[in-house]
Amino acid sequence: AARRSFAPDGPLSRYSLVARDASSPALRIDDRVIDYLHGFNRLDERIGDLLRPVPPFPEASCHAALAAQLEGWLRHKASHGRWHGINLYGPPGSGRRAMARTLCDRLGLHAYQLDPSRLPPPGRDRQDWLRLLAREAVLSQIAPYIDAGEADAEREPSTIHELIERMPVFFIVGSRSRVPVSRQMLAVTMPRIDAAGRKDLWENALSEAGASLNGEVTLVVEQFHFAPEMVAQTVVSARVRARLRDGASSDVIGAADLWEACREQTSWRLDQLARPVTAVYTWDDIVLPEEVGRQMREITAQVGQRARVYHDWGFGDK
C-alpha cells in the first residue's frame, strides 16, 4: 500500500506532493510543500499569476435562498466523497461571480478567479499546471472560478472547454448560457436581479459605508441596473468623491456623490455608442402648447415615480 502511494498515478504524484528527479531515481519535495509542513502556507508562485482572489460583494436577498440550496447539495455530495463542478449561467448583471464568492464563503473555501488567457499552451506544461492547481486547491482550500461569460466572442472557447473537462478539483463556471460539457456538472440558472434585489444590494453596500441617503436609493435602483460587483465599485468610488469633497477626515457619502459615481460607472461603457448631452434648459424655457406640455410632465412623473407605483404599491405584479 505504501509503495502504491508513490506510483505515477498515486496521490503523492497526482497532487505534485513529490516528484521524480530526472537525473536519478530519487524523489524530491518542492519547497512549497516543505513550507506547508512547517506551517507557512502560500500560493505556489508558478500558478499565482493565473489566479486572483474574488472580492466580497453585497448580497441580494433573492440570492440567499439559492446559495443555501447549493450549499446543502454540495455538502451532501461531499459526504459521499465527491464534489462536482457548478455552472452558474444567466444574463449579464445576474450576479454570477458574486454568487460564486458567496457559495465559497458558505463552504469555507477561498474563491480565486482563473484567467484562461494566461494558461500555458496545450501539452506537458498545461498538465503540470493542472496538477499544481489540484495541490493548491487542497493545501489552501481554493475553488477556482472561471468566467466564461465573454468567451463566446473574445476568448478561445476550446481552451475554456478543455479546462472545464479536465479540471481536477471542485470549480465554478460563470457563463451567459449553459456550458456544454461531457463531465458531470450541476447547471444552475441565475435569474436577473429584480428591483427589490437591487435595492438590497445598494442598502447593504451603503450600510457598510456608513451612508444614509433618505430615499435616494430607490431612485438609483430604477435608473441604474448594476450587478453586485458594479454596486460595490460604485460605492467605493462615491466614498472617494466624498473624501475629496470634505477632506480626508470624512467619507460620508452624499446624494450627489452617489449619482456622480453611478454616471461614471456607465459613461465609459457608452463612450463608443453615444454622446452625453448636458441639460441647460428648464421647464420654463420650453415653449409648447398647453396639452403637449402637460403630457411631457406626466411622462416625467411616470419615470420618476415608477419605483413607488410598480414596486412599493405592488402594481408591477399586476
Side-chain angles (χ1 to χ4, degrees), residues 178-227:
R178 184 170 180 172
V179 177
V181 291
S182 59
R183 71 180 299 177
Q184 187 175 12
M185 184 169 63
L186 178 65
V188 180
T189 304
M190 292 289 297
R192 187 183 294 275
I193 303 175
D194 60 13
R198 294 198 305 274
K199 188 175 182 180
D200 289 340
L201 294 176
W202 283 106
E203 289 179 344
N204 291 338
L206 289 168
S207 65
E208 295 175 1
S212 177
L213 297 169
N214 297 326
E216 288 293 328
V217 173
T218 301
L219 300 177
V220 168
V221 166
E222 285 301 314
Q223 188 70 23
F224 303 98
H225 291 200
F226 285 173

Side-chain angles (χ1 to χ4, degrees), residues 4 12 36 42 61 63 82 111 117 139 151 173 179 183 196 207 273 316:
R4 285 197 297 272
L12 294 178
Y36 179 83
R42 57 175 175 78
S61 57
H63 282 175
R82 180 67 174 172
S117 67
L139 297 183
V173 181
V179 177
R183 71 180 299 177
S207 65
L273 303 174

Side-chain angles (χ1 to χ4, degrees), residues 202-270:
W202 283 106
E203 289 179 344
N204 291 338
L206 289 168
S207 65
E208 295 175 1
S212 177
L213 297 169
N214 297 326
E216 288 293 328
V217 173
T218 301
L219 300 177
V220 168
V221 166
E222 285 301 314
Q223 188 70 23
F224 303 98
H225 291 200
F226 285 173
E229 46 262 49
M230 288 186 65
V231 171
Q233 293 168 2
T234 303
V235 171
V236 170
S237 178
R239 293 185 73 170
V240 171
R241 287 180 173 276
R243 191 176 294 115
L244 292 174
R245 173 174 48 80
D246 294 336
S249 60
S250 175
D251 59 356
V252 178
I253 298 174
D257 303 319
L258 183 62
W259 280 95
E260 285 301 317
C262 289
R263 295 189 185 101
E264 187 179 71
Q265 280 289 330
T266 56
S267 62
W268 67 270
R269 303 171 191 273
L270 294 174

Side-chain angles (χ1 to χ4, degrees), residues 4-20 82 127-136 138 166 168-169:
R4 285 197 297 272
S5 298
F6 290 92
D9 60 345
L12 294 178
S13 297
R14 187 167 66 250
Y15 290 101
S16 296
L17 297 173
V18 298
R20 296 188 180 277
R82 180 67 174 172
Q127 294 175 8
D128 292 342
W129 185 90
L130 287 172
R131 281 196 292 268
L132 289 176
L133 177 62
R135 185 179 74 185
E136 292 304 314
V138 173
R166 303 186 60 186
V169 295

Side-chain angles (χ1 to χ4, degrees), residues 3 8 32 40 53 92 126 155 169 176 189 226 233 276 282:
R3 186 175 182 84
R32 163 71 173 103
F40 179 53
R126 185 172 293 184
R155 298 175 183 161
V169 295
R176 295 185 182 184
T189 304
F226 285 173
Q233 293 168 2
T282 66

Side-chain angles (χ1 to χ4, degrees), residues 238-310:
R239 293 185 73 170
V240 171
R241 287 180 173 276
R243 191 176 294 115
L244 292 174
R245 173 174 48 80
D246 294 336
S249 60
S250 175
D251 59 356
V252 178
I253 298 174
D257 303 319
L258 183 62
W259 280 95
E260 285 301 317
C262 289
R263 295 189 185 101
E264 187 179 71
Q265 280 289 330
T266 56
S267 62
W268 67 270
R269 303 171 191 273
L270 294 174
D271 283 345
Q272 303 301 319
L273 303 174
R275 178 175 57 86
V277 176
T278 302
V280 296
Y281 298 110
T282 66
W283 283 110
D284 294 336
D285 297 318
I286 301 175
V287 180
L288 289 172
E290 181 179 353
E291 179 62 18
V292 177
R294 184 182 62 79
Q295 291 178 356
M296 289 187 65
R297 291 178 183 272
E298 287 179 354
I299 292 172
T300 303
Q302 191 275 335
V303 173
Q305 301 297 326
R306 58 184 172 179
R308 176 181 300 177
V309 174
Y310 291 137

Side-chain angles (χ1 to χ4, degrees), residues 52-55 100-101 104-105 109-113 141-145:
R52 67 177 185 272
V54 177
R101 170 60 194 256
C104 287
D105 288 345
L109 300 174
H110 302 289
Y112 274 75
Q113 183 162 344
Q141 295 295 287
I142 286 176
Y145 173 73

